[in-house]
Amino acid sequence: MVIAALGVVLSTLLAAAVTTYFDVWSSSRSPVPASRALHAESEVWWDLTRDVKAVRVAGPVDVRKLERDYPDGDVALDGLVEGGGIYAGMMRVRLTLMNFTKVPVTVTGVRARVTEEIPVPDGALLSCGGPQGGVGITRVRIDLGSADKAAQEYDGEEIVGQYPAQEMQLAKQDEPAIFDIRVEDGKTAYSYVIDVAYTQGTDKGRIVVDDAGKPFRLAPAEGDVDAAYRCDHTTTHWATAR
């Protein structure tokens, strides 16, 4: 009896500790109060069978050195961004939203918010990927060149309306909602974050989604550059594009 009672006490304490951990974790990683406990994470990615992944850098690029340092062109582009380059053209942002409470959360709007305009690098443009057969359909898109920069929902190539066109609710505790947004470039380079507006009960709130603690960055792929390079179909070698 004593052992059984002790087990019950330990289980209760463990459950309380886990609950407290989730509340602290969610509130410490987002500006949303712990009582609301909506948490968001993001991942930037490309599907190179459908997307062109591009980076603009200031100054010239030694592509032979790039091949030696990065045997994969996709990884090389990420390395150029780590060195100060800017992704160009488009990017996909995968959002994962978690409701850590038992009170349903309804997402009411998603839009990009520009935090800074960045000078567009006028050096080299490097790119990989592109259509290789099937046509990709992206349901949610943000155009950084639009006035309100709100996410739009598409059915194929037809606009359905501002996202979410139908109510999107996170009703179950700890069950993630995952969706992808195609973000397209504007007329200049931007640093930006994504605002997710929601309601929970009678309260309204907003959670700010960024790129691991810093803003996302995206430059236009079009425009003057000193040199342009594309990786081949194996993504291991670079050649002059124009």
Side-chain angles (χ1 to χ4, degrees):
M1 292 291 290
V2 173
I3 295 176
L6 181 60
V8 170
V9 171
L10 289 175
S11 298
T12 302
L13 290 174
L14 178 60
V18 170
T19 301
T20 301
Y21 166 75
F22 278 135
D23 283 342
V24 170
W25 181 59
S26 63
S27 62
S28 66
R29 297 185 61 178
S30 78
V32 180
S35 59
R36 296 174 185 171
L38 180 64
H39 174 72
E41 291 188 353
S42 67
E43 176 189 2
V44 176
W45 68 288
W46 288 259
D47 177 354
L48 294 187
T49 65
R50 297 181 294 172
D51 305 326
V52 174
K53 180 177 181 178
V55 171
R56 296 186 72 128
V57 297
V61 173
D62 184 344
V63 292
R64 301 287 82 84
K65 182 177 185 302
L66 203 62
E67 290 174 355
R68 293 193 299 270
D69 294 344
Y70 300 98
D72 180 84
D74 184 12
V75 178
L77 294 175
D78 293 335
L80 289 171
V81 169
E82 291 176 3
I86 303 176
Y87 291 121
M90 61 78 62
M91 61 172 57
R92 295 181 188 272
V93 178
R94 176 165 293 166
L95 293 186
T96 301
L97 301 178
M98 294 280 287
N99 176 14
F100 284 102
T101 74
K102 296 180 180 180
V103 180
V105 172
T106 300
V107 175
T108 57
V110 178
R111 71 179 63 240
R113 175 164 50 88
V114 172
T115 60
E116 182 183 10
E117 289 192 15
I118 313 166
V120 179
D122 56 1
L125 174 70
L126 299 94
S127 61
C128 282
Q132 298 177 16
V135 177
I137 298 175
T138 305
R139 193 166 65 89
V140 185
R141 305 177 193 175
I142 292 178
D143 180 3
L144 291 180
S146 64
D148 60 3
K149 298 174 176 53
Q152 301 291 333
E153 189 166 339
Y154 283 73
D155 181 2
E157 292 302 319
E158 298 294 326
I159 296 180
V160 176
Q162 190 165 308
Y163 183 81
Q166 296 181 346
E167 184 176 278
M168 176 183 172
Q169 191 173 81
L170 284 70
K172 294 184 179 180
Q173 187 175 11
D174 302 347
E175 183 173 303
I178 302 173
F179 60 99
D180 293 327
I181 301 173
R182 177 187 170 101
V183 182
E184 299 173 346
D185 57 358
K187 295 181 179 180
T188 187
Y190 295 113
S191 289
Y192 69 96
V193 295
I194 295 177
D195 290 334
V196 179
Y198 66 92
T199 59
Q200 187 173 37
T202 59
D203 296 329
K204 294 182 179 180
R206 184 188 72 180
I207 189 167
V208 180
V209 183
D210 56 24
D211 186 12
K214 59 186 184 298
F216 303 101
R217 301 199 309 163
L218 188 63
E222 301 299 323
D224 293 336
V225 292
D226 296 334
Y229 305 94
R230 279 191 61 84
C231 66
D232 64 7
H233 69 282
T234 65
T235 72
T236 57
H237 300 289
W238 296 93
T240 302
R242 63 174 186 254

